[in-house]
Amino acid sequence: MSETPSELKCLATHEWARLEEDGMITVGISDYAQDALGDVVFVELPEEGQHLSAGDEAGVVESVKAASDIYSPVSGTVIAINFALDDEPEKVNQDPFGGGWFFKLEPTDVGELEDILDADEYQEVCDEEEY
């Protein structure tokens, strides 16, 4: 069973959001999701400067098993993307909550985080799923 750090907020579609000290939000996929996908071989990310609304498709993660859309957990402007994943997509598998992050947002309304699952609620979603 995968553990989700308690400071993260998550979507039922397995994206996580972490509010950073500078007010920005880092986004990635959960340990559960990377495990279900298998070996990640490619990640397509949004462009810097792109505005995303909560729930918008922001990219795609591809593995040896499947391709899965990436959704933005909150609304905001993309201020950084993880270029390291271009050459090392396996970082998503190795460190999904650290070096395997996808992109960072300057949120339009940080309060949107309150509308998504906390780590315990997300774990309940994972417990109900089978892959």
Side-chain angles (χ1 to χ4, degrees):
M1 180 169 79
S2 61
E3 290 291 320
T4 301
S6 61
E7 73 273 10
L8 300 183
K9 301 291 271 188
C10 300
L11 296 178
T13 52
H14 307 292
E15 293 81 7
W16 57 261
R18 179 176 53 234
L19 180 61
E20 304 295 351
E21 289 182 16
D22 63 2
M24 300 303 113
I25 294 176
T26 303
V27 178
I29 60 168
S30 70
D31 187 45
Y32 177 90
Q34 70 76 23
D35 189 48
L37 282 168
D39 293 336
V40 173
V41 295
F42 178 74
V43 181
E44 179 183 322
L45 298 172
E47 294 183 17
E48 287 184 7
Q50 183 177 347
H51 180 79
L52 298 169
S53 294
D56 279 357
E57 185 178 314
V60 177
V61 60
E62 294 181 18
S63 73
V64 294
K65 290 185 188 178
S68 184
D69 291 332
I70 301 165
Y71 299 97
S72 183
V74 297
S75 301
T77 301
V78 178
I79 59 163
I81 60 172
N82 189 352
F83 288 109
L85 299 181
D86 289 345
D87 296 324
E88 298 178 272
E90 65 274 10
K91 285 183 177 227
V92 175
N93 296 111
Q94 297 164 349
D95 191 13
F97 301 121
W101 63 276
F102 289 157
F103 59 93
K104 295 184 182 205
L105 291 170
E106 181 175 354
T108 304
D109 178 7
V110 75
E112 287 180 338
L113 283 174
E114 298 306 313
D115 297 333
I116 60 178
L117 305 171
D118 66 24
D120 291 336
E121 292 166 331
Y122 174 69
Q123 189 60 51
E124 290 175 20
V125 169
C126 293
D127 291 345
E128 292 172 8
E129 284 189 14
E130 289 186 30
Y131 64 85

